[in-house]
Amino acid sequence: MNFLQPALGFALALVAVPFVLHLFTRRRFTPVPFSSILFLKQSRKRSMTRLTLRNLLALLCRALAVGLLAAAFMMPVLPGRNFQFLGGRTRAALAVVLDNSYSMNWTHGGVSLFDRARAAALQILEQAGPDDEILFLTTCGQTAAAPMTAREHGRRAIAAAVRTMPAGECAGDLTAAVNRATHELERSGVPDRRVAALTDMQAFALRGRVRAPGRGAPELLFASFGAAADAQTNTGIDSVTLPVYALHGDAVPVCFTLSGGSAGRKQIVTLTANGRPRGEQAVDMAPGRNGTATGRGCFRPTFNEPGLAAGEVTLQGDPLAEDNVRRFVFRVHREMRVLVAAPPGAESDPGHDAYYIERALRAARGAGTGSAPLRVEPVEPDRLDQYDFEGVRAVVIPSRTPVSQDAAARLRDFAMGGGGALLFSDAAAIPGEVSDKLFFSGGTTLGAADALHGGAAAQAFTALESFDARHPVFRDFKGEAGAQFTGARFVSPGRLAVNGPEVRVLASLKGGAPLLVERRLGRGRVALMASGINPYASDIALKPGFVPFLFNLVKYLGQTGGQGRTEFTGGEIVELDLDTAPGAPAIEALRQGPGARPEALSLVPGSRGLRYRSAAPLPPGIYETRAPGADAVLALFAVNADPAEGRLERMAPARLGKKFAGYRITRVDASRFFPRERVVRWAFNKEYSYLWIPLALAALAFLALDTLVSNRS
Amino acid sequence: MITHMKEDSRAAVEPGQFEHFSPELLEKVARLELKARMVAEGVLSGMHKSPYRGFNVEFLEHREYYPGDDIRHVDWKLFGKRDKFFIKQFEEDTNLRAYILLDSSASMRFGDGAHGSKLQYASLLAASLAYLFIKQGDAAGLVTFDDKVLYQVEPHAGRAHLYRVLAALERNTQGGATDLAGALSRFGESLKRRSFVILISDLLTEPEPVMAALKTLRGRQSEMALFHLLDRAEVDLPYKRASRFVDMETGAAVAADPAAIRAAYRRNLEKHVDAFRAFCRVQTIDFIHAVTDTPVDKTLLGCLQQREQRKRGVLHGRGRGG
């Protein structure tokens, strides 16, 4: 026999209490005056024997009741493998699903939930029957994709893997793991099948769809750890937003939002960038929706060095560490190069668009509208196809600028690679089919104005009537500021028809004809205005709002693209787009920090040397990519823990039952038992019969007997 | 302590002239007299239904009827045989001296029947007997005792004497241990004349010495009656819980479970009572076993009826005791 609570064995000493009381307290009979005890004495002899026996019986009952109750509290169990009715069992197929999602890193009392669950897993594995089939898997990581079996790997290897396995940094999918386990067990052919899920019962981990139970569906045991971890106790960083484009010397807004925890608390948030602390804030948590608190704040560091910048926003002092850090990467640019394609001398010609474009952009640079370094470079149109586009963010093609097919193709590549292109076209200089097919893929149709080439037709005047005030380009023109822009007149603008949903109309003429459209092209953006801006075409260049409009438009077009995605979520495969494509079959990604090993990223076939992919999900961190063996950093990217995993919400038992309808479910709240690992093991292995209930009942029976005997006395 | 209340029975003592009686005692005595009278008259009315009356109904002989004789004494059976009237003549004992011996030991204070404790019941019984004796012109006396004589009032007739007897009964409240046999023996030694001795006791003592003393007393030609009084609780032992029973005389205690010993107790008590009953039958002592929840007049009536029955047995040739 074994005892689940041997420490309570001291209670057995209480058996002595009835004897002590019996010895040291005599029963006090009520004195009754009686005339003569003559006949009582004669009759008494036999009765006292009975009374003594009755007292002894009562004493025995009390001692037994106390002893049995104390023994019951020790939770005795009887081992038995050969007798089913005693709890023993025959060969079984056991699957242990260990939840290693990062919410299991919740630490309480110096021990994480994962460590507790791991201990329970080891107990189950070590005490499984010698002929049991064993399957082990996790909810994320390598063992989630490739479970271990005793048949293939051996029990020792499984136990060693469990012992050394780190807690996960991914958002686990417990449902998928349970589905996998049930499927594998059903294939085993062993009648007695059991799945033990050792988890913190977060609803997010149980988000998937449950596999329908078939015949012989296994018995499911959900051992729940971590009663204390919930949305009321855990605060995490929900998001960090950055400007897409940062120029050195600018105050770069790095904003964050927090969620979880209790309203009224103050959370300390710090910013680290390029390894240096760059700020600290105390954020007041306010009541949010669904009873969880929210908070927000912004840092505004300046970066005086261009190049790649990486940083972390960190929430201090929260029990669950993984959702307290959000890593980010962005590029700081020294300057923004803008090419203006124009024939020589055009920038001096007031009748040419380039004259107004160049002056507006230079004026914008000095107008305090934002970023300072904006370098405007004229380039001859027929040299576009050979020009060095390194560092160029946007290309502006004024109207009536002849562009060759090769140059147009080069421009398309440039845009596809992340650059921005702004075309002022009345369809004369760039043939409509060129603009349509190369830049808009048939999404627009640009026709020449009817009276463009002279003729008796009268000139057509129209005006700018409306624009999309929600667009970043027109952010500064809301309300009365919009008057600076509307009313601009246009002489015979091209007739622009929008043919596809990927094209967005930014401004329209009277009657609704599109004037300015834009679309995403590859990693870049292209905008087309169906008119020139020289005075022969329009007076828009003379409007007060023209300078900021043009600057915003160019900056908008030039800020998109670049490196591509730089932030990934833990658990997903990293696919990295590099604008400086080395073309190598593989590059290395090395996580910043000590002891990290390089991870290989392979070139994605057909990506034209631009995209690289990791073989497996990468753990959270900031990574530097470089060509194998090289020192130069090609790019930076960040991997963050899935914030959804940090939104702790325990699944209620009723909901669990509903979700796994059709399965036999046992739920053990392992957080309440001591020793919790043993309880999980016994509940799962079912290797014992539990004797405390019959012992407790026997104790009650003896107590009842004692009461009966005493009352008769 | 012996308190003799010897008074000249021929002295004319008017009621009320008892300067040694306190007002409270006088009141109690008056109450006791009233109760005794009620009991006695109840008895007498019961006795009137019988052709016999009085305690002393000893038949002596027949004589011829003379006109004026009380026809109640005509022996009709003899008339049927002889066709002649004969009168039964009874022994008249105008000098009957009755001693009422009242056991006043501590055990007699037990009980809470209709008349209170056994002693209170016995006191009323004794008062009623005294009343009856004195009413019919006999002399009645009283002796109270525990292990010694407490009060002794010599037999006298007369209403004034009755008050003395009643006063002694009222004063007789304290008693100690029992020595019934010793008290009977000492009384017997002091008895000078043939008397009618009535013993009222609970007999809760070893029977042999008492029987020996009674036998000696009976051997002095004195008629005897024995009232054996018990309280209902002594008979039934109605106690439910195991208790420590404390002897009211000796202070000794015994723990017992009444439920367990009740049957045996009753058997032993019954054996004890039967032993006295059998002894009294042999000794021609009227034995009246009474429980104190029986009205006193019924107890008394039972005694008289028993005596009548016994006498009838003598009249019809069953022999005389003595």
Side-chain angles (χ1 to χ4, degrees):
Chain A
M1 184 183 292
N2 285 318
F3 296 92
L4 300 189
Q5 302 278 7
L8 294 178
F10 73 88
L12 284 173
L14 294 174
V15 172
V17 170
F19 290 100
V20 170
L21 289 174
H22 181 78
L23 286 173
F24 289 99
T25 61
R26 291 191 178 277
R27 183 164 183 181
R28 298 181 192 283
F29 292 108
T30 307
V32 175
F34 202 67
S35 52
S36 172
I37 61 173
L38 174 66
F39 300 110
L40 290 173
K41 279 167 77 171
Q42 290 174 1
S43 313
R44 168 181 176 273
K45 200 171 177 185
R46 190 176 162 197
S47 83
M48 282 315 291
T49 305
R50 290 177 64 178
L51 193 64
T52 304
L53 281 175
R54 196 175 286 168
N55 286 342
L56 282 175
L57 181 61
L59 174 65
L60 190 64
C61 287
R62 281 166 207 158
L64 277 172
V66 171
L68 288 171
L69 208 57
F73 273 114
M74 290 173 66
M75 298 176 77
V77 288
L78 194 63
R81 283 187 58 79
N82 297 318
F83 301 100
Q84 293 282 323
F85 71 93
L86 288 179
R89 60 173 178 83
T90 55
R91 180 173 175 247
L94 311 175
V96 178
V97 177
L98 179 58
D99 185 350
N100 64 337
S101 60
Y102 82 74
S103 65
M104 291 289 284
N105 284 324
W106 181 280
T107 304
H108 184 66
V111 181
S112 70
L113 306 183
F114 181 73
D115 286 334
R116 290 177 178 161
R118 189 214 316 258
L122 285 170
Q123 291 256 343
I124 291 172
L125 294 170
E126 285 165 9
Q127 294 297 324
D131 49 356
D132 287 344
E133 295 279 344
I134 294 177
L135 173 74
F136 172 74
L137 66 160
T138 56
T139 56
C140 57
Q142 186 176 355
T143 332
M148 299 176 75
T149 63
R151 191 174 285 197
E152 188 181 338
H153 301 88
R155 293 193 182 195
R156 282 192 182 176
I158 295 177
V162 173
R163 281 194 199 94
T164 57
M165 167 179 301
E169 292 159 317
C170 55
D173 190 341
L174 183 61
T175 307
V178 171
N179 286 342
R180 178 84 181 259
T182 58
H183 173 70
E184 295 295 332
L185 290 187
E186 283 175 19
R187 284 175 51 196
S188 71
V190 177
D192 186 356
R193 302 164 195 158
R194 308 174 202 173
V195 176
L198 312 175
T199 173
D200 58 352
M201 292 296 296
Q202 294 300 324
F204 182 73
L206 290 159
R207 61 191 178 278
R209 199 170 168 185
V210 175
R211 182 172 175 270
R215 280 187 66 182
E219 189 178 329
L220 303 182
L221 168 75
F222 285 91
S224 169
F225 296 81
D230 58 27
Q232 301 300 323
T233 51
N234 179 50
T235 307
I237 299 176
D238 252 5
S239 64
V240 172
T241 55
L242 297 160
V244 176
Y245 191 95
L247 297 175
H248 87 276
D250 278 358
V252 180
V254 180
C255 300
F256 58 88
T257 57
L258 308 177
S259 70
S262 309
R265 283 188 67 184
K266 249 189 198 347
Q267 298 287 3
I268 304 299
V269 182
T270 59
L271 171 69
T272 308
N274 292 337
R276 292 192 298 126
R278 298 304 302 269
E280 180 176 301
Q281 286 190 11
V283 178
D284 289 316
M285 300 299 287
R289 287 192 301 177
N290 300 326
T292 56
T294 59
R296 58 184 66 233
C298 285
F299 296 96
R300 294 184 188 278
T302 56
F303 296 87
N304 295 320
E305 290 296 324
L308 290 170
E312 291 179 353
V313 175
T314 308
L315 172 66
Q316 304 293 329
D318 188 76
L320 189 59
E322 278 65 22
D323 67 340
N324 295 344
V325 179
R326 293 288 287 185
R327 304 167 185 87
F328 56 88
V329 170
F330 65 96
R331 184 175 284 275
V332 179
H333 295 270
R334 182 186 299 281
E335 60 187 6
M336 185 173 171
R337 289 175 66 195
V338 178
L339 301 182
V340 181
E347 70 274 14
S348 306
D349 180 2
H352 201 282
D353 286 356
Y355 178 89
Y356 301 95
I357 291 169
E358 200 167 327
R359 276 162 179 75
L361 291 180
R362 289 205 173 119
R365 187 180 66 186
T369 51
S371 304
L374 190 65
R375 194 167 85 187
V376 181
E377 296 176 13
V379 60
E380 294 178 23
D382 52 3
R383 291 182 61 192
L384 267 176
D385 55 340
Q386 298 151 15
Y387 204 79
D388 178 14
F389 279 76
E390 177 67 30
V392 173
R393 298 306 312 150
V395 175
V396 182
I397 311 294
S399 63
R400 295 178 180 266
T401 300
V403 176
S404 67
Q405 291 263 9
D406 290 340
R410 183 84 197 283
L411 277 176
R412 180 183 159 83
D413 284 345
F414 167 73
M416 288 284 292
L422 174 59
L423 312 174
F424 293 94
S425 173
D426 55 5
I430 300 180
E433 64 180 21
V434 173
S435 65
D436 289 348
K437 287 181 183 165
L438 282 185
F439 296 106
F440 286 90
S441 303
T444 59
T445 305
L446 179 62
D450 289 335
L452 186 59
H453 298 291
Q459 289 182 332
F461 283 90
T462 185
L464 174 70
E465 183 179 55
S466 64
F467 55 89
D468 186 353
R470 297 171 300 176
H471 197 275
V473 170
F474 298 107
R475 194 167 36 217
D476 300 328
F477 295 95
K478 291 180 185 174
E480 292 181 356
Q484 300 177 16
F485 202 60
T486 53
R489 292 182 296 175
F490 295 85
V491 179
S492 301
R495 284 183 293 115
L496 188 59
V498 174
N499 301 330
E502 72 279 9
V503 179
R504 184 177 175 183
V505 176
L506 302 186
S508 301
L509 299 167
K510 277 188 181 174
L515 173 67
L516 178 66
V517 297
E518 68 115 350
R519 67 157 291 179
R520 197 163 181 93
L521 183 65
R523 298 209 302 265
R525 289 186 186 275
V526 179
L528 172 65
M529 180 179 276
S531 173
I533 56 172
N534 60 78
Y536 298 109
S538 172
D539 65 352
I540 189 172
L542 304 176
K543 294 290 182 184
F546 176 71
V547 170
F549 156 71
L550 185 64
F551 175 76
N552 283 348
L553 182 56
V554 168
K555 194 173 173 191
Y556 170 74
L557 295 172
Q559 283 185 351
T560 55
Q563 187 179 326
R565 188 175 169 193
T566 57
E567 186 183 324
F568 301 89
T569 302
E572 68 172 320
I573 301 292
V574 171
E575 282 200 353
L576 190 62
D577 293 328
L578 297 178
D579 57 357
T580 51
I587 59 172
E588 289 179 345
L590 183 67
R591 187 166 61 170
Q592 290 181 347
R597 292 183 182 178
E599 304 279 351
L601 302 182
S602 308
L603 182 66
V604 174
S607 64
R608 296 161 66 176
L610 294 177
R611 181 166 294 183
Y612 290 82
R613 180 189 294 154
S614 65
L618 300 181
I622 294 175
Y623 289 81
E624 298 174 350
T625 57
R626 49 179 62 122
D631 291 333
V633 174
L634 298 174
L636 293 176
F637 66 92
V639 177
N640 288 305
D642 190 337
E645 179 74 10
R647 290 183 199 114
L648 303 182
E649 179 196 345
R650 290 167 59 81
M651 178 168 275
R655 202 171 141 206
L656 182 74
K658 208 174 163 185
K659 189 172 181 68
F660 287 89
Y663 286 89
R664 286 171 296 150
I665 294 178
T666 304
R667 192 167 174 271
V668 173
D669 190 346
S671 62
R672 295 183 192 277
F673 276 96
F674 174 81
R676 50 184 71 82
E677 298 84 15
R678 277 198 202 175
V679 170
V680 174
R681 178 189 109 198
W682 282 315
F684 184 64
N685 279 350
K686 291 185 187 173
E687 62 208 54
Y688 295 115
S689 58
Y690 305 118
L691 297 179
W692 56 78
I693 292 177
L695 282 180
L697 288 175
L700 284 173
F702 277 112
L703 273 175
L705 185 61
D706 169 52
T707 305
L708 192 67
V709 169
S710 298
N711 282 343
R712 285 202 62 189
S713 296
Chain B
M1 183 184 80
I2 299 174
T3 303
H4 290 275
M5 299 176 67
K6 294 194 174 186
E7 296 283 345
D8 184 350
S9 62
R10 290 189 286 270
V13 179
E14 295 297 326
Q17 292 182 351
F18 299 100
E19 60 278 3
H20 55 284
F21 282 12
S22 66
E24 294 81 13
L25 179 60
L26 200 58
E27 189 184 343
K28 287 180 184 174
V29 165
R31 273 208 299 271
L32 183 58
E33 192 229 350
L34 179 64
K35 285 184 196 172
R37 190 177 351 136
M38 288 172 64
V39 169
E41 286 176 1
V43 170
L44 288 173
S45 73
M47 289 304 294
H48 284 155
K49 299 181 181 126
S50 153
Y52 304 105
R53 58 176 177 179
F55 273 91
N56 196 0
V57 290
E58 290 284 344
F59 170 74
L60 189 60
E61 59 184 4
H62 287 107
R63 66 170 174 80
E64 282 189 25
Y65 171 80
Y66 291 111
D69 285 335
D70 191 345
I71 60 170
R72 286 180 296 175
H73 294 151
V74 171
D75 191 340
W76 297 104
K77 279 188 180 173
L78 198 57
F79 171 73
K81 287 179 183 176
R82 296 227 185 143
D83 201 24
K84 203 173 178 184
F85 291 107
F86 289 94
I87 293 292
K88 290 183 208 171
Q89 280 191 304
F90 298 94
E91 184 177 337
E92 291 183 343
D93 185 1
T94 59
N95 294 323
L96 175 68
R97 289 170 61 83
Y99 279 94
I100 302 169
L101 306 184
L102 177 59
D103 182 354
S104 302
S105 59
S107 64
M108 290 292 287
R109 291 202 301 273
F110 181 81
D112 59 350
H115 296 284
S117 63
K118 284 186 292 185
L119 183 61
Q120 288 166 317
Y121 186 95
S123 296
L124 181 58
L125 182 61
S128 306
L129 283 165
Y131 184 92
L132 277 173
F133 283 127
I134 290 172
K135 183 180 167 63
Q136 66 182 27
D138 292 324
L142 175 73
V143 179
T144 66
F145 62 92
D146 46 18
D147 59 351
K148 57 193 176 300
V149 175
L150 299 172
Y151 287 96
Q152 186 161 353
V153 181
E154 288 298 325
H156 281 286
R159 188 182 171 80
H161 183 71
L162 173 64
Y163 276 83
R164 290 187 201 98
V165 171
L166 298 182
L169 286 171
E170 283 297 333
R171 289 194 181 110
N172 182 48
T173 54
Q174 299 291 330
T178 299
D179 183 11
L180 183 55
L184 285 173
S185 295
R186 284 190 289 277
F187 171 76
E189 286 165 6
S190 70
L191 195 63
K192 297 293 185 282
R193 292 166 61 176
R194 190 166 169 262
S195 306
F196 181 27
V197 179
I198 300 167
L199 174 61
I200 306 174
S201 172
D202 53 13
L203 300 178
L204 292 177
T205 183
E206 292 297 333
E208 289 80 13
V210 175
M211 288 176 182
L214 285 173
K215 190 175 178 182
T216 303
L217 201 56
R218 185 72 179 93
R220 292 176 184 273
Q221 302 298 314
S222 292
E223 267 202 78
M224 290 196 69
L226 173 53
F227 285 88
H228 179 213
L229 295 185
L230 287 176
D231 187 82
R232 179 57 63 186
E234 288 169 313
V235 175
D236 292 340
L237 203 64
Y239 306 94
K240 290 186 172 48
R241 300 184 67 86
S243 306
R244 190 161 61 90
F245 294 94
V246 181
D247 193 305
M248 291 172 72
E249 291 186 8
T250 64
V254 62
D257 179 7
I261 66 168
R262 188 170 290 123
Y265 172 87
R266 286 177 183 167
R267 276 197 306 272
N268 290 333
L269 182 64
E270 196 64 37
K271 227 165 94 172
H272 181 78
V273 172
D274 287 345
F276 272 100
R277 187 177 284 119
F279 167 80
C280 290
R281 191 181 310 117
V282 168
Q283 298 296 325
T284 58
I285 299 173
D286 292 315
F287 180 79
I288 303 94
H289 173 70
V291 183
T292 56
D293 55 6
T294 306
V296 175
D297 56 347
K298 282 204 173 125
T299 301
L300 205 48
L301 190 63
C303 168
L304 296 176
Q305 287 172 345
Q306 194 182 108
R307 284 181 63 81
E308 290 295 332
Q309 285 167 7
R310 185 169 60 78
K311 294 296 189 266
R312 227 185 303 165
V314 170
L315 286 174
H316 287 281
R318 289 181 196 156
R320 295 175 61 170

